[in-house]
Each structure stands twice: as structure tokens, then as C-alpha cells.
Amino acid sequence: MLVFFKPNLALFSVPKTGSTSYGLALRGHADIAFAKRTKHMTVGKFHNKVAPFLAKTFGVTPERMAIMRDPEDHLRSWYRYRCRKKLRDSPASTIDQSFDEFVLDVIGAAPSPGARIGSQYKFLSLADGTVPVHHLFAYEDQPQIRGFLEERLQAELQIGHKNVSPPVAAPLSPEVADRLRAARAEEFALYARLCDAGGHLCALDGAG
């Protein structure tokens, strides 16, 4: 994640939402850049640990920005990413799985190593279910995301493409799609709210 003092913004790196591309493009503008094991810091950890530190040490309380992807497509991106040939001998490989099998593994009681990917909803929310994010954007509306960042940072940005998943066919059967929606109802509900708001939700729960 990245923290910008003057623009008063903290940008979370939600996995598989273009976080690497945005990180590379924006790193030079940031006052603090979390990397490696802290790159994908969750909203909960930031809220409980880092936000109080920033306020006490630097006198800043940055607004929180995150990007969310269609939940089914988010899993499809993970599936394709782990279909890479270099992972063939890894326990995390999905090369020998169908997308249906992968989704059922993800939402199962004991996911295999390749299916332990967490969820966007858990990444964005606190233990009580609130989502303390000031600006939540839909991944599918890249122009709106870029426009917001350029206005906020007062800079023209060049966003590249990194960690692109290979083009692997990944159809999902209606039966498994229904099971996924039931298992991740809160995530689908949040994404629906985001779409209904035109791809930009402002001042969510606890982020007034």
C-alpha cells in the first residue's frame, strides 16, 4: 500500500486488482510505500495499527482508497494466474483444475494451498463487518480510477500492466456460480452497492 501526505490519501493494494501496476506508477509520489509482506496490508490492520501511528507521529489522517473487482472475475484472475507453466510443480498450481473445481476449493471448508486466497470483503472490512473506506472504486472502470488519482496527486500518470494472467478459458457452471454467491453473499452485496453507485462509493461505514 502507499500513503501520500499532501494529497491526504492511503491507497490499499487489494490483490488481483491492478495493485502492482498502480504501485509502480505511483511509488515515486508516495511518502510511505509498504512493500513485500506488508504490500497487501488489509484495511483492518491499517485501521487498528497504522492509522493511529500516522496520526500520532506525522499528524496525518489520510482518506482510504481501495479498488474492488467483480467477485467471480476476481477468482477467475487468481485461477488464471496460478495456471502459469512456471507453477506446474507447485502445490499452488491450478493447471490440472477446472475453474469450477477451483471455486469449490476456494469456498470449501479446507482450501488447498492454491485456493487460499482470502476474499476482497475480508480485506476491506473490520471484524464487525464495517468497511471504513472513504473511496471504493470498481476495477472495471479504470478511467474513473485514474482520473481520481491524477486529480488528487496533481500529476499525469502512466499506468502499465504487470502480473497479467495468461488467457486461459475459465467458464463457471450456473450451479457453482450459485454456490459461490451464497458462500460470499457479503462480498457480492458490497460489489452490487459499488456498481449501483456508478463505480465509486464514498465514505463507507465508519469512514465519515
Side-chain angles (χ1 to χ4, degrees):
M1 71 171 298
L2 304 174
V3 179
F4 310 88
F5 285 3
K6 187 174 180 180
N8 194 41
L9 192 69
L11 175 60
F12 289 89
S13 295
V14 182
K16 307 309 294 175
T17 62
S19 58
T20 299
S21 297
Y22 278 103
L24 289 173
L26 302 174
R27 190 180 184 89
H29 299 274
D31 294 279
I32 300 176
F34 291 87
K36 296 184 179 179
R37 295 182 65 180
T38 59
K39 173 185 175 182
H40 296 297
M41 182 186 304
T42 65
V43 169
K45 187 169 184 178
F46 178 87
H47 182 85
N48 294 322
K49 302 291 185 181
V50 178
F53 168 80
L54 292 175
K56 181 178 180 180
T57 306
F58 300 106
V60 295
T61 54
E63 293 184 355
R64 303 162 189 182
M65 173 186 172
I67 299 169
M68 185 181 188
R69 194 168 186 163
D70 172 271
E72 180 182 320
D73 196 46
H74 186 249
L75 294 190
R76 185 172 284 110
S77 181
W78 270 114
Y79 171 76
R80 287 172 170 160
Y81 186 67
R82 290 186 168 170
C83 275
R84 292 172 297 155
K85 292 181 179 179
K86 65 184 295 185
L87 291 179
R88 176 173 289 278
D89 297 324
S90 167
S93 174
T94 57
I95 289 177
D96 296 323
Q97 277 186 313
S98 68
F99 187 47
D100 271 5
E101 291 170 333
F102 175 72
V103 171
L104 291 174
D105 194 3
V106 168
I107 64 177
S112 67
R116 295 171 191 164
I117 58 175
S119 77
Q120 294 178 102
Y121 182 76
K122 289 183 179 179
F123 186 103
L124 295 167
S125 64
L126 304 184
D128 63 2
T130 58
V131 182
V133 176
H134 297 86
H135 301 281
L136 184 64
F137 286 89
Y139 169 86
E140 292 73 16
D141 192 344
Q142 292 294 319
Q144 184 169 204
I145 298 169
R146 179 172 172 170
F148 175 85
L149 286 168
E150 288 187 334
E151 181 178 356
R152 201 64 177 262
L153 301 179
Q154 291 295 292
E156 184 175 346
L157 304 175
Q158 298 296 325
I159 311 296
H161 297 281
K162 295 292 182 181
N163 287 348
V164 178
S165 303
V168 177
L172 188 66
S173 68
E175 296 80 7
V176 176
D178 288 344
R179 291 177 65 175
L180 172 61
R181 285 185 170 274
R184 299 203 163 182
E186 293 173 318
E187 185 166 332
F188 277 94
L190 178 59
Y191 184 72
R193 285 177 60 195
L194 177 56
C195 291
D196 289 344
H200 179 193
L201 267 175
C202 299
L204 278 75
D205 312 319

